[in-house]
Amino acid sequence: MAHWGMFRASASGGEITEVHPEAGDASPSQVLGNVPGSVRHRSRITGPAVRRGWLENGPGPSEKRGSDDYVAVSWDELTDLLAAELRRVVDRYGNESIYGGSYGWASAGRFHHAQSQVHRFLNCIGGYTRSVNSYSTGATSVVMPHVLGAHWQMFSRSTSWDVIADNTDLLVAFGGVPVKNTSVNHGGTSNHPTEGALNALRARGGKIVTVSPLRDDMTGSATWLAPIPGSDVAVMLGLAHVLVTEGRHDTGFLDTYCTGYEKFERYLLGAVDGVAKSAAWAAQRSGLREDEIVALARDMSSRRTLVTVTWSLQRIKNGEQAPWMGLTLAAMLGQIGIPGGGFGHGYGSMNEPGLAPVPYPLPTLPQGHNPVATFIPVAAISEMLLNPGALFEYNGDTSVYPDIKLVHWAGGNPFHHHQDLGRLRRALTRPDTIVVHDPYWTPMAKHADIVVPSTTSLERSDISCTRNDPLLVAMQPAVPRFADSRDDYDTFAAVAEKMGCAQEFTEGRTSGEWIRHLYRQWQGYLRNSGVDTPSFDDFWRDGSVAMNTEDRLTLFEDYRRDPVKNALRTPSGRIEIFSEVIDGFGYEDCAGHPAWFEPTEWLGGERAEMFPLHLIANQPRTRLHSQLDHGATSQASKVQGREPIRMHSSAASARGIADGDVVRVFNDRGACLAGVVVDDGMLARVVQLSTGAWYDPVDAADTASMCKHGNPNVLTPDVGASSLSQGCTGQHVLVQIERYDEELPPITAFDPPQVIDRVRTPLV
Ligand code: PGD
């Protein structure tokens, strides 16, 4: 099982040669094509290594990170060095000075889940500074608990695809429903039903309106409205204005199930600032026609309508507003809690929304207790490392950035997920020590002092399951461990042994014993709930257990049925269109109700005079984030070895650029090369470059160097969504593009650094 689906692998000589998707999968992911050849790829880390400068000079800030050589060490040396360094940092600076936020998707599998392993280990040695929220839903996860009293439940208990297919008459999808993103699901997935459900809706006579600058954010027939990127909230306000002024809003629903609508309505009608957020006002900001907005609002109020908002719409400055306003629009239509109507968030952002949840807890490795209270919002990593002691706002509180001496990372790639990579590189010069566990020489591993070679999930046993999939799967190794790599669990167990907390970390179990233990614990829980499951041995032999799921859910059906008994977990128990709590924080960049904030990176602002193209840095179609970028599917999409950038023919020809050319994409933060694919399925001034090409600087010693491979995060702004959430804003950025006529530098992203073997080449 992988995040991108369930498969069987054929192997030979320690390498995967073929993969065969699960028979029941309606639409297997093309990302599977990256798996063959991935185990023994040259970018694998073959054994433990330590950065030469760190080994020679000891821990300390260093500008050599990212361009230094490495020295191969034995496992015994590596675990000695790691244990001693952790002890030094804890004794001298305290556990708060270890940053263990360690964000990232790692691999499917409940036991070997890298984040769970590193957090459990760090808790055994006294804790660490943690991170909160995610890069996926940074703004949503903070605003929605105030507004709806829920966050992830919105996805895991979302209206199921079959209910939408059978009942929705009009699907209005802000951000579309990009089927490419549904190929992945955190923790795995055994089926991909999205495309089938959209087709079934159409076959029933249902209509789809996709609101996105990119046509292919919706596959198949749909009405395409292409607003200027970042203007969705204006469009939603314009729609809401039509509903109110034409008396089409459901006052009964707003009175019974919501609070604060009146305050929002005053803002909407212009009573607060003298500006009515009319369809004409929205048209000016979005570039859509006024009559299109009016017609859509009328259509929405006369049919069973589902309003959906993708997660990408909140990965932008003031990202809280799009989901909050989408919910408000749906509340005004009064169909929340009715099958096929209402609101959805995240359809097409990951496979989970729309899939049926499992009604009981799943096996999980306990992470223990972290006694350190210090935390940062996850996307504030550079800010924290560059500004120890500085104050920051988050969700109504003011906190202080800790002084981090050691960064311990397992299962994530900040050079994939973080913004403004030049700034990140400057930030990574600051700590005394950076430890990275990864199977591959990712750019993050190349910035580490202590490099821990991990196995991949293809080399180990595990259990996989996820909250919206019926299968609990026995993950059996397809190949032996690669070279001198180890499971992260075994590494942590060895370091724990040297630090005197082995029993606490392992509880006396090997990884095999843990997997059996977690299964049996789960079995016991289910038995108490009256559910029978096969023995562990039968499960392991058969390969999977089918679990019950809660089918045909409608989000908030229970709340609609009985708003008192099933009150929401908000202060009012209702949907908070106006939140007294958020209002009370007094933030200038997040008011008490959803509102329009002019984006900083958008075509309607002054910055567009300097950088006139709007780049959408969205999720890739050919891989999961940066994982297996060297795989066949990902590589087949590259243009002259560079990440493809899609451009409208008018924007390309105005710059003397043709399909297949390599271009330099730049702004005042940085530059990267990319290979052009001309595509008129987008607004003329929009370009699209997916995330995930491994960062590949022309000059590794220069933190401001151009990336010759096409990582858009050299361009994106490193600013939080707002004082409320500080969420990631990496989806949107203004750029300029020019043809690159110089000799093309070779791609070196997948080449390992120089690793010195002291036996053959003694250090001088
Ligand atoms: P991955 O490439 O999945 O990216 O960011 P994330 O860091 O999750 O990184 C996972 C790493 O884990 C890989 O290096 C892989 O090799 C390693 N790994 C896999 N298995 C194991 C294991 O068993 N042990 C260890 N130790 N390592 C393992 C994703 C993040 O990027 C996300 S979720 C989102 S939604 C964001 N989206 C955007 C965006 O829309 N736009 C921009 N510009 N930037 C984004 N960044 C964010």
Side-chain angles (χ1 to χ4, degrees), residues 110-131:
R110 305 295 285 195
F111 173 70
H112 289 290
H113 181 235
Q115 265 73 55
S116 306
Q117 292 287 344
V118 68
H119 295 157
R120 180 178 168 86
F121 167 75
L122 291 174
N123 283 336
C124 291
I125 63 162
Y128 59 96
T129 291
R130 69 200 156 96
S131 63

Side-chain angles (χ1 to χ4, degrees), residues 80 216 219 279 334 337 516 532 542 711 756 763:
D80 269 350
D216 68 352
T219 42
R516 198 173 272 269
D532 273 343
D542 296 346
N711 185 325
I756 299 159
L763 291 172

